[in-house]
Amino acid sequence: MTVSLEQLQRCHVAVDLGAARTRVYVKGLGLVVDEPSVAAVNTRTGSLIAVGALAEQMTGRTPEYIRVARPVSGGTVVDIEMAQRMLRHLLGDKLRRQLRRKPRLRAAACTPHEADPLAQRATVETLVGLGARRVELVDTLIAAAVGCGLPVEQPTATMIMVCGAATTQIAVLSLGSIVTAVRIPVGGNAIDEAVIQYLRQHHELLLPSQSVRPLQLALHGNGIQLTGPALTDIHGRDVATGLARTVQVDTAAVRQAIHTPLTAVLDGVGKVLRDCPPDLVADLADRGIMMVGGSALLPGLDQMLRDATGMPVHIAERPDVCAVLGLGAMLDGKIQPMVLNPLAG
C-alpha cells in the first residue's frame, strides 16, 4: 500500500467512484451514499435534473433534450465536472455543510489496480472540487480485501477477485501489499452485452436496457449452472417491425453466450497463479479465492471458478460494498499493520 494507515486515519471521508455505483463513507457516520453513478442533464439549460437511482430509471426513456450521463467508466472519472455535480447532489446540503466545517478536509478514494496517472489525477481533482484539501488514493484490491475481512497484513497469501461493471481485477496479497495482479477489461457490462447480442442475432429481439441485469439473474434459474428451466419467455421489441414480441429462449444457449466473455476472466486467474511464488500458491490451495464486487453475485460464477481452478471459492458477505467499507475501516483505525520487531542482539 503506497499510503500509510496513519495518513488514512487522518481522512474524514472515503469515496468509491465505480462505473456502476458511487459509494461514500463518512467517518463517524458510516456508509451514507450508495447510488448508481448516473446523472440526467437538461442540454438546453445545462441544469441537473436527477442523479442516482432516479436518473438510472430515465435511461432510454428521455426526450432528446435530456441526456443521461455516466461520468465514471471502468473506475476512471471521464467527466470531472459532471462527477462533482453528481457527488454534490448525492451527498445533499446537510452532509456537505457538516464536511465543510472540517478545518482541513481530507478524503480517501479507491483507484483501479495500475490506474494511469491521468486517471488518478481525475479522481483527485473530482474530490478537490468538492472541498478536499488532500486526497489519498488506495488500490481497490487492497481496500476490498480489508472490507471483506481478509488478513491482508499477515505473511500468508490471500487471493481476491473484484468483479466490477467494466473490469475484473484479480490479485494475490501478502503482508499488506500486492504480490501479483491482473486487470481484465471484462465485467458485468460485458456479460450483459453478450446476452443482448445473442437475443438480437438469434431471435431478432431488442431488450429494454433496464431489464438486462434482472434477466441475467432470472433467465437461467440458478444462473450459469446447468439447473433451471430449459426454456424461458423473454419480452422485448422486434428488430424488424419495432413491435412488442415474446420469444422462448433456450437457456443452455444463453449460458454458452455468457461463457464467452468469462473465459477471459478464467485466463486472468491462471496468469495470476502462474506469476505467484510457489509458497503462496500452496497457501491459496487452502484459503481459495474471495469474490467481491456487484458482478460476483452472478449465480453460478463461483462454481465455474471452482471447476476451472480446483480451489475453494467464497463470495463476500456484502460483495458490492466491500471496497468502501474497507476504506472506512482504515479511516476508523480498525486495521493495524503487522509490527516487525528487529532481532535482538
Side-chain angles (χ1 to χ4, degrees), residues 121-163:
R121 185 181 176 88
T123 303
V124 170
E125 284 189 15
T126 299
L127 297 181
V128 166
L130 290 173
R133 298 293 184 89
R134 185 182 174 95
V135 179
E136 310 289 0
L137 299 179
V138 179
D139 197 302
T140 302
L141 289 162
I142 292 177
V146 170
C148 63
L150 291 177
V152 286
E153 71 280 0
Q154 298 299 318
T156 55
T158 52
M159 188 169 185
I160 188 163
M161 176 188 286
V162 180
C163 309

Side-chain angles (χ1 to χ4, degrees), residues 74-150:
T76 302
V77 179
V78 293
D79 187 338
I80 294 172
E81 183 190 354
M82 187 60 68
Q84 288 174 349
R85 293 174 71 185
M86 179 184 75
L87 270 172
R88 280 193 203 102
H89 282 77
L90 288 175
L91 285 170
D93 294 335
K94 183 181 176 183
L95 196 53
R96 288 214 317 278
R97 279 197 296 271
Q98 279 183 326
L99 293 175
R100 275 202 296 265
R101 292 194 195 110
K102 309 285 184 188
R104 287 185 61 82
L105 181 64
R106 287 173 173 244
C110 293
T111 54
H113 179 64
E114 291 184 344
D116 60 75
L118 279 176
Q120 293 181 359
R121 185 181 176 88
T123 303
V124 170
E125 284 189 15
T126 299
L127 297 181
V128 166
L130 290 173
R133 298 293 184 89
R134 185 182 174 95
V135 179
E136 310 289 0
L137 299 179
V138 179
D139 197 302
T140 302
L141 289 162
I142 292 177
V146 170
C148 63
L150 291 177

Side-chain angles (χ1 to χ4, degrees):
M1 195 190 305
T2 54
V3 182
S4 70
L5 286 169
E6 289 80 7
Q7 288 173 304
L8 287 171
Q9 285 168 22
R10 297 192 198 108
C11 292
H12 306 98
V13 60
V15 180
D16 178 14
L17 281 167
R21 297 183 78 86
T22 293
R23 299 176 177 95
V24 180
Y25 183 102
V26 176
K27 201 171 187 176
L29 295 177
L31 189 65
V32 294
V33 172
D34 184 3
E35 293 276 344
S37 304
V38 189
V41 188
N42 186 326
T43 56
R44 293 174 182 170
T45 62
S47 60
L48 208 59
I49 296 171
V51 294
L54 182 57
E56 189 175 51
Q57 288 173 11
M58 294 181 179
T59 305
R61 295 185 166 96
T62 58
E64 60 179 18
Y65 66 89
I66 295 178
R67 179 173 67 94
V68 177
R70 293 183 178 270
V72 186
S73 175
T76 302
V77 179
V78 293
D79 187 338
I80 294 172
E81 183 190 354
M82 187 60 68
Q84 288 174 349
R85 293 174 71 185
M86 179 184 75
L87 270 172
R88 280 193 203 102
H89 282 77
L90 288 175
L91 285 170
D93 294 335
K94 183 181 176 183
L95 196 53
R96 288 214 317 278
R97 279 197 296 271
Q98 279 183 326
L99 293 175
R100 275 202 296 265
R101 292 194 195 110
K102 309 285 184 188
R104 287 185 61 82
L105 181 64
R106 287 173 173 244
C110 293
T111 54
H113 179 64
E114 291 184 344
D116 60 75
L118 279 176
Q120 293 181 359
R121 185 181 176 88
T123 303
V124 170
E125 284 189 15
T126 299
L127 297 181
V128 166
L130 290 173
R133 298 293 184 89
R134 185 182 174 95
V135 179
E136 310 289 0
L137 299 179
V138 179
D139 197 302
T140 302
L141 289 162
I142 292 177
V146 170
C148 63
L150 291 177
V152 286
E153 71 280 0
Q154 298 299 318
T156 55
T158 52
M159 188 169 185
I160 188 163
M161 176 188 286
V162 180
C163 309
T167 59
T168 299
Q169 303 171 67
I170 307 160
V172 173
L173 311 174
S174 181
L175 285 171
S177 297
I178 295 172
V179 178
T180 177
V182 68
R183 185 175 165 203
I184 304 154
V186 173
N189 292 346
I191 296 167
D192 292 349
E193 189 61 30
V195 174
I196 290 171
Q197 289 302 321
Y198 169 79
L199 291 172
R200 184 177 183 126
Q201 290 170 8
H202 294 84
H203 297 278
E204 297 182 349
L205 196 74
L206 284 176
L207 272 185
S209 59
Q210 301 288 319
S211 67
V212 178
R213 182 51 60 92
L215 162 70
Q216 192 192 100
L217 298 178
L219 180 67
H220 342 301
N222 289 330
I224 52 181
Q225 296 172 347
L226 296 175
T227 54
L231 295 172
T232 307
D233 288 339
I234 305 295
H235 310 287
R237 193 182 80 187
D238 191 278
V239 173
T241 64
L243 301 175
R245 187 160 66 92
T246 301
V247 297
Q248 278 203 329
V249 177
D250 179 10
T251 52
V254 178
R255 275 197 297 272
Q256 192 58 44
I258 287 177
H259 269 279
T260 305
L262 290 180
T263 49
V265 175
L266 296 178
D267 290 344
V269 172
K271 183 180 186 306
V272 167
L273 290 172
R274 285 195 300 274
D275 294 346
C276 190
D279 290 343
L280 293 182
V281 175
D283 289 346
L284 294 175
D286 299 326
R287 291 181 174 275
I289 305 170
M290 178 65 79
M291 292 173 62
V292 302
S295 298
L297 295 170
L298 177 66
L301 179 55
D302 54 339
Q303 188 59 47
M304 184 177 172
L305 281 170
R306 284 189 199 99
D307 295 341
T309 62
M311 292 162 54
V313 178
H314 316 281
I315 300 176
E317 189 177 341
R318 297 178 66 190
D320 49 341
V321 293
C322 280
V324 74
L325 291 182
L327 271 183
M330 294 181 207
L331 263 61
D332 292 336
K334 294 177 182 174
I335 308 300
Q336 298 300 323
M338 185 177 178
V339 178
L340 299 175
N341 294 319
L343 295 172

